[in-house]
Amino acid sequence: MPDRTVQIAVPRPLHAVYDYAVPEASPLPEVGARVRVPFGNTNVIGICTSNSVDSPHPKLKAVTEVLDYGSAIPEELIDLAKWMSGYYHHPMGEVFATVLPVAARKGASFEIDPPDSWAATHIEFDNKRAHAQRSLLDYIRENGPTAGADLVEAGYRRETLRKLVASGHIEAALPESTHTAEQPPQPSKAQADAIEAIKSAIGRYHAYLLEGVTGSGKTEVYLRAMEPVIAAGGQVLVLVPEIALTPQTLKRFQNRYASVGMMHSNLTDHERLQTWLKCRAGEISVLIGTRSAVFTAFSKLGLIIVDEEHDSSYKQTDGLRYSARDLAAKRASALSIPVVFGSATPALETIHNSDRGRYTRLELPSRAAGASMPTYHVIDTRGQSLRDGISNELHHVIRKHLDNRGQVLLFLNRRGFSPALLCTSCGWQAMCPECDARLTLHKQPRQLMCHHCGLRLEVPEACDECGHLGLIPVGLGTQRTEDAVAQRFTDVPVYRIDRDTVRSNAQLEARFDKINTGAPAIMVGTQMLAKGHHFPNVTLVAVLNADAGFLSGDFRAPERTAQLIVQVAGRAGRAERPGEVWIQTWQPQNPLLNRLIEKGYRGFAELELAERRKMGLPPARPMAMLRAESSNPGEALELLGKLKSQSSNLECMGPVPAPVARIANRSRFQLMLLADNRSVLHTALARLSPGKIPRTLRWSIDVDPYDSL
Ligand code: ADP
Ligand code: ZN
Ligand code: ZN
């Protein structure tokens, strides 16, 4: 009977979907239902992609269990998954594994937990010996309805809570809304125009580029543009970069709207699924989330916002290498709703799309609340002797700002103490034994660390080659800069902010709280500091070394460097006091740097985009990167050679060794493919046939790669 056959995508790296029979006794699962099926010699949970198939196979295996008869995922997400499988050339079953929350994949129930918020009833409490219960009850009477998690945080036990619920002294309560009647600022003319434009597109697909200088009040535009969506009972998805999702960000939305949810990688699997389910049920009206939140199921999504849309964290760099930014546009178009891409430094892809009329550009040319843009100054370091990477001139500028009670931010995109340990006698350098890479010297704890494979080694006393005792650290990392400025500017605190000092959003928040007390201080940090944060008292931003980024061989490096410089510069002068940006460079004549300083990011982007078009690079032409790695280099190279021979109608560059040619003892190669248009590229990629892959070899297709080196 053909109508009892379903097609299942199984969570395995296979491009096919499989037919199964549904036993007579069981109702037919809907498309999008989770179904347990026998596969190989185990059972797996797959997703039903069709329930009306004519199977050519006479003897089908039967479905073991139908977890949901109705759809677990809305049809729109199934279509998105199918599209991704084709676009990213990734197996269907694995696409679902990315789209669904982990707990959903493992078969967890789709029940939404009852609310965990508790209020006191009016029943008199007269048990004099139950001190713990008395104390908990008093706490709730004092604080009003309280979340169970907050009670635990305050030192109470769940058991005590249960007893009070059982005796009727406490009952479940709806959590009190945290939003205040805070008076929102009056939008500027530019903000108001942008808000109106976005509002006018509600109910149909339209993509906007909201290009607003740092501090121009893009968030205020988002908050107001979403008003009519929420008033009509709709939902809004706000994507933010990984590190920007701090309680600060959340609070800005909560102050305005009642049911705001959060989705990010620090949640437990259960919490993620719960949030996902609440969005699916329409209980959350604004979801703020990082990359994978783009896959959340919604009952009535009405608007998508991608904040800091240029940010690299929107691109997944392993497994299914998707771009959440691009998928946001795809989803918006499928749902006929508007999407807004906001940035002070839009990706060249996005500018290209707006140049071609695919996105409408909305501009916020000046800072909100009257703050002025920072002024740029270049320090020519040629012929100067720098002490710990800081020129005399910069030293004096730092002193001046601290004396004027300003805060100073020093930007250096390299963590650790120094990126090399060198023998002064023979020139030997400490290398990672597992990778083709230098080891970075770290202090606290003092060790050599490989930033590629994570290996940690003791710091040797003597040179490995010649036994000489004079090993010196060469080059500058954030730890060294921190040490150096702490010794020179003893009157102010120095805060280092990088992945070694800040491992969670809570830690980041704690640092920011200290910094935002406003007293003079120096911050030393990596790109972590560049992302969207608001430091009202920073008056000086210094870029210690602007050159490295512009000199890299990656064609995207100038774009990324310009974005970083403008973003980090954007931390200066965000409040009443104007800001200054000082840039140290060995190449003051560098045309890209000069263009950026003279014409701003837009001017830079136009020049760089013209260059990309001339070279036939993205976004002018689509690109894919094939990567292969193996403990046996010959194998990887051979595979890429074979794939290249199958791609004769594409422009191929390579195969060549990857920039770090060996990581954790596996050799890595890459082959860059360019085509004149998408359909040529995708036809070619779909035709690739690698043949039998040895166990030691791994390879991948990366469509629209972010890193091309
Ligand atoms: P962006 O995201 O564009 O860098 P923000 O949204 O963080 O900028 O806004 C910067 C600051 O300006 C915030 O403190 C915000 O509250 C304030 N702001 C935004 N719009 C206005 C306005 N129209 N009037 C006064 N202040 C505003
Ligand atoms: Zn030596
Ligand atoms: Zn290593």
Side-chain angles (χ1 to χ4, degrees):
M1 260 168 69
D3 61 338
R4 302 296 297 170
T5 304
V6 289
Q7 217 153 51
I8 305 293
V10 295
R12 292 285 185 275
L14 302 161
H15 275 280
V17 286
Y18 292 82
D19 291 349
Y20 286 89
V22 180
E24 281 305 319
S26 150
L28 204 62
E30 276 181 32
V31 171
R34 295 174 298 165
V35 176
R36 202 184 299 275
V37 293
F39 194 83
N41 43 19
T42 63
N43 268 302
V44 299
I45 294 175
I47 297 289
C48 174
T49 57
S50 170
N51 63 5
S52 55
V53 272
D54 252 325
S55 182
H57 305 290
K59 275 218 143 129
L60 289 177
K61 283 189 190 168
V63 161
T64 318
E65 183 192 358
V66 179
L67 281 87
D68 328 281
Y69 286 104
S71 194
I73 329 174
E75 197 159 349
E76 167 243 338
L77 275 183
I78 296 178
D79 291 345
L80 182 74
K82 287 180 182 164
W83 180 85
M84 279 199 285
S85 175
Y87 186 88
Y88 293 113
H89 300 271
H90 204 77
M92 194 62 191
E94 285 202 337
V95 173
F96 279 118
T98 306
V99 168
L100 281 180
V102 174
R105 250 147 58 203
K106 290 183 178 159
S109 138
F110 270 21
E111 296 276 322
I112 294 179
D113 290 344
D116 180 30
S117 180
W118 305 96
T121 61
H122 292 291
I123 300 176
E124 199 70 27
F125 189 82
D126 45 21
N127 186 345
K128 295 213 164 49
R129 287 165 52 204
H131 298 296
Q133 292 182 46
R134 168 96 255 164
S135 153
L136 200 163
L137 188 60
D138 286 346
Y139 183 89
I140 292 181
R141 289 208 163 126
E142 228 161 84
N143 293 282
T146 310
D150 292 344
L151 292 172
V152 172
E153 183 114 313
Y156 297 103
R157 296 176 48 206
R158 286 267 176 194
E159 185 52 33
T160 315
L161 180 65
R162 264 192 291 275
K163 283 183 188 157
L164 284 165
V165 173
S167 61
H169 291 93
I170 281 179
E171 61 186 10
L174 288 177
E176 254 186 331
S177 155
T178 52
H179 81 272
T180 55
E182 181 196 70
Q183 193 62 29
Q186 194 59 33
S188 65
K189 173 80 172 65
Q191 281 174 319
D193 289 348
I195 294 162
E196 278 320 304
I198 300 165
K199 280 184 179 174
S200 75
I202 285 168
R204 64 189 164 90
Y205 171 70
H206 199 101
Y208 292 98
L209 161 59
L210 178 62
E211 190 170 347
V213 297
T214 52
S216 57
K218 291 183 284 292
T219 310
E220 188 59 33
V221 172
Y222 307 149
L223 284 166
R224 290 200 183 240
M226 63 177 72
E227 229 163 66
V229 175
I230 293 169
Q235 297 170 295
V236 180
L237 169 64
V238 183
L239 294 176
V240 296
E242 257 154 31
I243 204 69
L245 187 44
T246 59
Q248 256 179 1
T249 316
L250 182 68
K251 210 164 287 154
R252 283 180 82 176
F253 286 85
Q254 279 177 334
N255 283 345
R256 213 68 73 82
Y257 295 108
S259 68
V260 180
M262 233 192 340
M263 186 87 97
H264 54 77
S265 52
N266 287 345
L267 300 181
T268 65
D269 288 351
H270 179 75
E271 288 168 333
R272 283 179 79 88
L273 179 60
Q274 284 293 315
T275 304
W276 191 89
L277 291 171
K278 285 179 191 161
C279 289
R280 177 170 165 266
E283 290 180 14
I284 285 175
S285 46
V286 183
L287 181 71
I288 311 176
T290 52
R291 182 175 60 229
S292 66
V294 76
F295 300 123
T296 310
F298 289 94
S299 61
K300 208 178 164 200
L301 190 59
L303 172 66
I304 305 179
I305 286 157
V306 185
D307 191 27
E308 309 290 354
E309 61 83 36
H310 63 278
D311 196 274
S312 63
S313 71
Y314 288 126
K315 172 80 180 177
Q316 170 117 327
T317 52
D318 54 16
L320 173 57
R321 293 164 167 79
Y322 68 90
S323 154
R325 178 190 66 210
D326 297 349
L327 291 178
K330 189 78 201 156
R331 261 192 106 173
S333 144
L335 289 168
S336 298
I337 59 172
V339 58
V340 180
F341 300 104
S343 178
T345 54
L348 293 189
E349 270 78 10
T350 307
I351 295 182
H352 181 67
N353 278 326
S354 109
D355 286 353
R356 287 193 305 167
R358 289 173 142 222
Y359 299 173
T360 301
R361 180 169 175 232
L362 306 169
E363 208 188 346
L364 304 180
S366 52
R367 283 188 160 173
S372 53
M373 292 304 286
T375 53
Y376 282 84
H377 309 263
V378 171
I379 298 177
D380 180 356
T381 50
R382 286 174 303 180
Q384 294 204 35
S385 70
L386 306 189
R387 272 199 305 141
D388 297 307
I390 295 172
S391 61
N392 265 336
E393 197 175 354
L394 182 57
H395 179 103
H396 290 300
V397 176
I398 295 174
R399 188 70 263 170
K400 187 187 81 192
H401 279 264
L402 294 174
D403 290 345
N404 288 332
R405 306 208 53 77
Q407 291 179 329
V408 171
L409 193 163
L410 304 180
F411 173 73
L412 177 65
N413 213 8
R414 203 190 279 132
R415 63 198 175 90
F417 185 81
S418 81
L421 187 67
L422 193 84
C423 169
T424 51
S425 169
C426 76
W428 170 86
Q429 298 179 26
M431 300 290 290
C432 176
E434 309 275 309
C435 308
D436 289 344
R438 284 193 296 253
L439 291 163
T440 301
L441 180 66
H442 281 246
K443 277 190 164 180
Q444 310 150 349
R446 186 173 152 81
Q447 58 190 358
L448 288 172
M449 219 171 114
C450 176
H451 285 187
H452 299 281
C453 69
L455 187 78
R456 291 149 196 266
L457 293 172
E458 260 181 55
V459 181
E461 291 294 321
C463 170
D464 251 16
E465 287 289 317
C466 73
H468 182 70
L469 288 174
L471 298 183
I472 55 158
V474 177
L476 209 60
T478 46
Q479 291 183 349
R480 191 172 196 168
T481 308
E482 178 194 18
D483 279 8
V485 292
Q487 275 166 30
R488 290 200 214 174
F489 303 97
T490 48
D491 54 330
V492 297
V494 177
Y495 302 104
R496 174 159 59 90
I497 295 179
D498 57 25
R499 258 201 296 136
D500 298 317
T501 54
V502 177
R503 290 175 193 282
S504 69
N505 277 333
Q507 284 178 341
L508 192 65
E509 198 66 13
R511 294 260 147 148
F512 288 175
D513 284 348
K514 277 195 197 155
I515 292 161
N516 283 341
T517 57
I522 300 177
M523 285 173 258
V524 177
T526 56
Q527 56 181 330
M528 233 185 206
L529 275 177
K531 297 195 177 180
H533 306 299
H534 194 58
F535 304 116
N537 292 303
V538 168
T539 56
L540 168 65
V541 165
V543 178
L544 295 187
N545 179 357
D547 303 324
F550 284 120
L551 295 174
S552 157
D554 186 342
F555 77 89
R556 254 183 241 278
E559 174 187 356
R560 240 176 278 166
T561 306
Q563 287 167 344
L564 256 178
I565 290 178
V566 173
Q567 291 289 345
V568 76
R571 302 314 113 204
R574 288 171 71 92
E576 299 81 45
R577 293 199 283 165
E580 289 179 3
V581 181
W582 289 72
I583 297 176
Q584 293 193 142
T585 173
W586 302 97
Q587 294 194 310
Q589 76 289 8
N590 180 327
L592 291 172
L593 179 64
N594 281 311
R595 178 88 177 181
L596 181 66
I597 291 172
E598 280 158 25
K599 296 269 161 50
Y601 182 78
R602 251 293 152 166
F604 162 86
E606 278 156 18
L607 193 72
E608 186 63 9
L609 208 43
E611 186 68 18
R612 297 265 191 95
R613 290 188 180 121
K614 202 170 81 196
M615 308 285 287
L617 289 167
R621 289 200 299 168
M623 176 188 277
M625 184 75 86
L626 305 185
R627 298 191 182 88
E629 57 159 86
S630 168
S631 45
N632 173 357
E635 241 168 45
L637 201 54
E638 192 186 326
L639 172 68
L640 291 184
K642 181 174 171 186
L643 297 174
K644 179 178 182 173
S645 70
Q646 299 168 358
S647 316
S648 53
N649 55 340
L650 302 180
E651 185 184 333
C652 302
M653 298 195 224
V656 292
V660 181
R662 186 176 55 109
I663 292 181
N665 257 333
R666 293 172 65 81
S667 296
R668 308 156 75 239
F669 293 88
Q670 59 190 35
L671 172 64
M672 195 194 276
L673 305 175
L674 283 157
D676 285 339
N677 62 56
R678 294 240 162 237
S679 86
V680 169
L681 181 69
H682 284 290
T683 312
L685 290 177
R687 267 205 227 110
L688 293 179
S689 77
K692 193 160 166 36
I693 302 287
R695 277 179 163 275
T696 42
L697 179 62
R698 249 185 284 146
W699 78 287
S700 62
I701 299 179
D702 188 353
V703 178
D704 309 327
Y706 185 75
D707 291 302
S708 64
L709 254 191

